[in-house]
Structure formats: structure tokens, C-alpha cells
Amino acid sequence: MKLDSRMVRSFSVFVVLVILITVYLFFIRPSQLRWGAATEEMRRSMPGDDLVANPNFVATRAITIRGRPEDIWPWIAQMGFDRAGYYGYDLIENIGSKTGIRSAESIVPDLQHPKTGGVLPISKVAHLTFGQIEPNQFLIWQSEAVPHDGAFTWALYPVDESNTRLVSRIRLRYHRASSALALDLFTEFADHVAVPKILAGIRDRVEGRVPESLVSEAIEIAIWILAFAEFAISIVLVFCWRQWWRAWALALSAGLLLLFVLYAHASLWFGAASDCGMAILMLWLSRRAPPRWSQI
């Protein structure tokens, strides 16, 4: 492969990444930062808003739960790693937890009294602390650093006698000159997936619904992994196929599919069908235009 050809192909990959980042920043991120939240909930002042100055990441998400604040509060109070779990993606969030891979499906009396200043493990390698706590109203998780660079508020707002809005607000300031920036970037992209799942998990438990099975979780995670693999392979094909523009179009399509399966909250069957469709398309194009491995 000639040098100018390699540069063209490299630039085409750069263009794909720019397009995908643009789609994420301008079309996906804004809606994910306010998932389920009404305009007034976005504008409402919440406890913990004053803890993080000049945050880079602010997300307000909400869900309606058929229950009173006192019905919902115990599930929030007991959340955490090595505690009751997060009621979300157990196969990811609870790996290594002393309480097992499955989030609690009942109220745990011993975990009902978190104390301000107490340590809250969020994974095997990281922790936060409990901030201000008002039972049946709100609970704050905050970073240990002072001044705080992260605050997570869970608040309950009654709608009527039998329905309550559970609102989550996250405020983070990124560590631009620290090794913690990698975790910040992970939070940037993963938080949109994790928090809606947590909110739905709390709702299901309060309303007596059957929590999602680990099998369903595993299928969803497999869909993400396959979509990412298809995107990575298509990027490689840009440098391998003689008609590289076909691989470029394939890479763009695979990248958009990856964003879709991560953030569209579509059904499992639709995500699986989309992944399989992309895999079939890649195989079909590979047979029509087999890769030409040339010296670079």
C-alpha cells in the first residue's frame, strides 16, 4: 500500500470518528442527560447542587413509581457495592461484591440507616461517602475529595397519594490532569446506560415486578460487545480492502449501530437482529470484495 493511500485511509477513519462523536455530542448526549425528566425537573434546584463547582457533566433523570416515598426510600438507602447492589446491570456492577452478583430483591434491615460521612463502596476499587441524608426525601453520595468533584443525589417528589417521582442528579467535574480522567470518560459514556437501568430496577422492586433475569442482562451485554467488535473489524477493513470506501461506509454504519444499541434503549430482539444484520452484511461484502493484504 502506498503512503498516500495509507494517509487517505487513515483520514477516512478519522472522519468516521468525527461523525460519530458529533452524533453523540449533538443528538444523543443532550437527550440522555435528561432521560425521563420533565423541563421543570431539569430546572429545579436539588440538594447537592452546591457541592460541585463548575461541573463538566450534569445529568438529571427521573422515573414515576407507583408508591409513596416511604415505600421507595428503603431501596435507595441500601444501594451500593457490598450492600444491596444497584438493581441495574448486576453482571457488571456487582462483580466481586461480598453480597453476591445479584442485587437485593427485598429490603435489607441492616442497611437501612446510612450515616452522613460513612464510606460507600461503589466498586472493588472505588468509593464515595454519604453526604446529607433526609429519610423519605433525599440522599446524597459525594466524593471524598474537598472541594467535592462529584455528587450524586437521589430525591423523592410525591405526585399524588400513590405515585412518586424518583429523580437522580449527577454533577461531576472532570480530572483533566489526572489518571482519574479515564474513569471520568468511562462515566461520560456509561452513565447514560447505567442510571436509567437503576431507576427502572428500583421501580420494578417497589411495584412488585419481577426483576430482569441475568440471562437477559447477559444477552444485552453480548449485543454491545458484538456491535463494538463489528465496528472495530470494519475499521481494520478500511486498511485491508482494495475498495476501501466500501469498508468506510461499513465502519460508519457499524459505529452508528453501536451508538444505537447502547443508547436507544431498544428491545433485546431488535438489538440482536440489528447486530446479526450487520454481521451478515459484513460477510456478504467480504465475499464480493475480498480483502487485499498489501505491504504497507
Side-chain angles (χ1 to χ4, degrees), residues 81-82 93 95-96 120-128 183:
F81 189 79
D82 284 342
E93 296 162 341
I95 292 178
L120 171 71
I122 58 172
S123 72
K124 199 73 174 176
V125 296
H127 68 272
L128 298 170
L183 179 59

Side-chain angles (χ1 to χ4, degrees), residues 209-228:
R209 305 185 191 186
V210 177
E212 185 180 44
S213 70
L214 292 180
V215 172
S216 294
E217 279 187 34
I219 293 173
E220 186 170 4
I221 294 169
I223 289 171
W224 302 341
I225 293 173
L226 179 56
F228 180 81

Side-chain angles (χ1 to χ4, degrees), residues 150-202:
F152 303 73
T153 300
W154 306 90
L156 297 167
Y157 298 94
V159 176
D160 52 39
E161 293 183 355
S162 57
N163 293 279
T164 302
R165 292 285 281 175
L166 169 57
V167 182
S168 162
R169 178 165 293 169
I170 301 175
R171 295 169 62 89
L172 298 175
R173 184 173 63 252
Y174 289 162
H175 305 79
R176 299 185 184 279
S178 166
S179 59
L181 179 60
L183 179 59
D184 294 335
L185 292 176
F186 176 79
T187 301
E188 166 70 44
F189 295 104
D191 189 76
H192 306 313
V193 179
V195 175
K197 192 76 166 182
I198 292 171
L199 294 175
I202 295 173

Side-chain angles (χ1 to χ4, degrees), residues 23 28 75 84 91 137 201 214 229 239 253 265-266 276 280 290:
V23 170
I28 296 176
W75 299 97
L91 292 173
Q137 296 182 44
L214 292 180
F239 296 95
S253 300
H265 305 288
C276 290
I280 292 171

Side-chain angles (χ1 to χ4, degrees), residues 16-38:
V16 167
L17 296 177
V18 169
I19 292 174
L20 295 178
I21 291 173
T22 300
V23 170
Y24 171 77
L25 290 177
F26 291 96
F27 296 97
I28 296 176
R29 190 178 193 265
S31 62
Q32 296 298 319
L33 290 176
R34 58 171 300 165
W35 183 90

